[in-house]
Amino acid sequence: EKKLNEVEIKTTKRTNVESAVVVEIKKSNSLVSGISAAQIQKTVDRNAAEAIRRVPGITVSDDRFVNVRGLSSRYNNVWLNDATAPSSETDARAFSFDVIPAGMIDRMMVYKTPSPELPGDFAGGMIKVYTQSIPDKSNISFGYSTSFRIGSTFEPFYYTQGSKTDLIGYDNGYRSLPGNMPDYLSKNDPDIYNITHAFPNNWGIMQKGLIPDQRANLGLQGLFKTKHVTIGTSTALTYSLTGSTYNVRRTDYDSTALVSDYSDKESTRTVTAAALQNIAFLFGNNKIELKAMLNQSGREKTTQRMNEKADDTPSKFYAESYQARTTALAKLCGDHKFNKDRSEYNYSASYSYTLRNDPDLRRINYTLSQPDTIYKASIANVVDPVNGGGLLYQHLREDGFSFNHQFTEKIGTKHYAFDVSAGNYIEYKYRSFYARTLGYVINPGYSAYLLTHQSVGQIFDTINTGSFNNFRLDEITAPSDAYKAQNLQVAAFAMVTLPMGKIGKIVTGLRYEYNRQSLQSFVNLDSIHPSIVTNFLLPSINMSFNVHENMLVRLAYGETVNRPEFREWSPFYYYDFELRAGNYGSLFPTVYFPNGDTLKVAQIHNVDVRYEYYPAPGDLIHAGAFFKYFIDPIQKVITPTGGSDSKAFTYLNGDHAITWGAEVEIRKNLGFIGPAALSGFTFVFNAAYIGSKLVLPDLVNQVKINKLQGQSPYIINAGLFYGNDSLGIDASIVYNVNGPRVYALGNSDYGNIGEMPFHSLDVAFSYTVKKIVTFTVAAQNILNSANRLMLDINRDEKFNLKDGDKYISYYKPGPYLSVGVKVKLSKLK
């Protein structure tokens, strides 16, 4: 008799397929929803922002910011590869999901209930995005697609002179402040002639036909095995060049009277280049990974605005801008198991870098007043940054460092064992921001009359600038136009996982978070340096009960927080040209707080219940309900100003608020119906109904307001997917919509602004030849839905044209048609 020696086989677990995501959801300690790379590949989604819309309870605003359970994006926390995701926004707490190409994604998971090991700063959801890791086998792939937007492609596209590097996503310095600029510029500077001439005359607007959108990607994946070590590498390069021209109608109202009516022609070109490099080492019970991501994007935008109001002075506005964003993340992480897998230690250390550069935002207004017969530029002897040839330069940089580690030990005997986990999280962020506001000025007189009547392309020619009677540059930058800010968080947690045999399990514990948020800036000429220190103990408990082998019920409770962002309390003022509104941080004096105010940290109590049924591998049916109680919720509000054209946004704490809702999710293969052909079809549906109530403090002179700002009352996602590997066919039809949500809370002078539903219907079809070449055709926004902002004129907290409410922004992006090809070669040597 021969005795076989014990053979140990190790492999890597696939995490990017639908069945693996379903298993991860089922085994999770808390309520989770997710989407796999396999499902994303069956849609026309091109980046993470488009793909994550398919996750239950998810909506997307501005095509890049994610809302969970209808709550504003500020109530979410985003981790990329288990490290804090960097934010590139100056005015909001939000990770821009459009920076991650869909082809780089392994899976995306949304945690909806608190757990001790998760950060405590969220109320909607904790979103974890994972990029590709160890591949199944070595391969190389290349993809190319081109897209056509009805109403934009081949139509006139308007643009201004740019730099030679715009096509790779950044400005090479062409739009930057010239090198001879002083720290503060005066029109009476002895060198004003040379300084003014150092600025390029790039105001002229040119026109060409808009070419179809272009996208390309290259992927390299390697799998190398030796006797003791498995090495996996993933390299991804993506590039996109996209453009659009939209006709946007913008109006405004004072009570029921129309006070402004503008027609905008917006031309936008965006270039995005991204690179991802992952390398993983697997040896024994150990896994070490190095992950790096770099995304560079540049967006050029030209807006031409005409006054359409019959009884107003005819006017022409021009706004010309460029924005470059750099997002980088580097991470080292490890997972080590020992003591016969009874002990596990994992860690991650990361560095994130964000740079947002907005050089040379140019704005000018022309009016046609009697007895003039030609338009005159609104330039006088003082700087008018919005109407009078204003130049705005903004620069933001944020560096983030984090370290996270956790130790888990299985304790007990062979009859009963439970897990104990403990860990720490340390994060430090440093942000610096500055803006400089300049503008052209001219002394009154005959020369001013002649020069201000020249066209936008000629008015700032060198012959017209620099001397005493010509246009000169001046500056009105205020000390409050810059700030520095820091945030330090130190957290510790402990939790225990208690199995209850076949009944289920209980996961409970406590998280402690120390946080210090500091900011240095000015209000008027007075320096300010507020610092907010908080200490929170955040308990949570997640219980799951096995009703049947494939059924379970989850109950959860936990406390979380929501901290203010740097921009939300910075006193920096910014004018939004599109909405014709100013933006203030809470430290800037307003009607609400004449001396300014720091924002409180919001506290949230979360309760969830969910029934889960897993009828077959890859299938699931979930139904649940939730309730949240907010203390001091942070809200975006419109400050009372007495005039709609001078409205402004700021932030304040509500007194308290509640939200409640119900959710359902279905993912089911249709093979159970009968005919074998139906086994290739999978039906996906998820929906949520959400209610909310907000109570504002007495100091706020508001009309009746009950809805939480940013809260959608309903969300619907539905899709039918077909896949047949033998025929090489994949097809999908998907639909997405979210209900109207309050964009900003109104006041006694001005009603709520609402963001209206966008009904998205997309279809895609792909055919793969010999598992090597895949051809794809797709159509998005088939319903030609419109992006709409509406003003609640009758103050009933609803948004309905039949009740007299009016659109203040309206445009149709148009249907979007794409064709593409992808080549994938495997088993490379």
Side-chain angles (χ1 to χ4, degrees), residues 24 98 180 226 252 322 329 389 457 581 587 706 752 819:
E24 188 171 349
D98 62 337
N180 60 346
T226 67
D252 222 333
Y322 183 83
L329 180 68
L587 287 168
N706 283 323
N752 297 341
V819 295

Side-chain angles (χ1 to χ4, degrees), residues 338-350:
F338 46 93
N339 192 22
K340 297 182 179 180
D341 289 349
R342 296 178 64 87
S343 304
E344 181 175 1
Y345 178 68
N346 54 65
Y347 59 87
S348 67
S350 69

Side-chain angles (χ1 to χ4, degrees), residues 83-103:
T84 303
S87 172
S88 61
E89 303 310 303
T90 57
D91 294 328
R93 169 193 172 161
F95 172 68
S96 187
F97 275 75
D98 62 337
V99 304
I100 305 177

Side-chain angles (χ1 to χ4, degrees), residues 41-197:
Q41 291 170 6
K42 296 177 182 177
T43 69
V44 291
D45 300 331
R46 290 177 294 271
N47 56 54
E50 295 180 354
I52 202 169
R53 290 183 304 165
R54 318 301 177 193
V55 178
I58 296 292
T59 57
V60 176
S61 60
D62 197 24
D63 295 327
R64 53 196 176 122
F65 303 132
V66 171
N67 306 324
V68 181
R69 287 178 163 173
L71 288 167
S72 168
S73 59
R74 64 159 301 102
Y75 290 110
N76 304 320
N77 202 323
V78 182
W79 276 17
L80 179 58
N81 293 321
D82 287 325
T84 303
S87 172
S88 61
E89 303 310 303
T90 57
D91 294 328
R93 169 193 172 161
F95 172 68
S96 187
F97 275 75
D98 62 337
V99 304
I100 305 177
M104 294 183 176
I105 298 170
D106 181 85
R107 68 197 187 281
M108 292 188 288
M109 311 299 292
V110 181
Y111 296 79
K112 298 179 179 179
T113 58
S115 187
E117 80 277 14
L118 298 177
D121 191 354
F122 76 91
M126 170 66 197
I127 305 168
K128 291 189 176 184
V129 181
Y130 295 95
T131 55
Q132 300 166 354
S133 185
I134 297 180
D136 299 324
K137 53 188 174 182
S138 299
N139 65 77
I140 181 173
S141 63
F142 171 78
Y144 168 79
S145 68
T146 184
S147 304
F148 174 93
R149 188 180 297 279
I150 296 176
S152 283
T153 308
F154 302 127
E155 296 296 320
F157 178 80
Y158 302 93
Y159 66 102
T160 59
Q161 180 65 43
S163 76
K164 295 180 180 179
T165 56
D166 284 0
L167 284 177
I168 53 177
Y170 80 99
D171 177 79
N172 65 1
Y174 171 76
R175 301 177 178 88
S176 300
L177 288 168
N180 60 346
M181 274 289 290
D183 293 338
Y184 190 90
L185 179 65
S186 167
K187 62 184 177 183
N188 298 315
D189 191 291
D191 198 30
I192 191 63
Y193 180 87
N194 292 324
I195 293 173
T196 303
H197 279 189

Side-chain angles (χ1 to χ4, degrees), residues 584 590-592 637-642 646-650 745 747 749-750:
Y584 301 91
T590 63
V591 172
Y592 300 131
V637 299
I638 304 170
T639 62
T641 58
S646 57
K647 66 178 177 289
F649 302 118
T650 190
L745 295 172
N747 54 66
D749 294 334
Y750 199 84

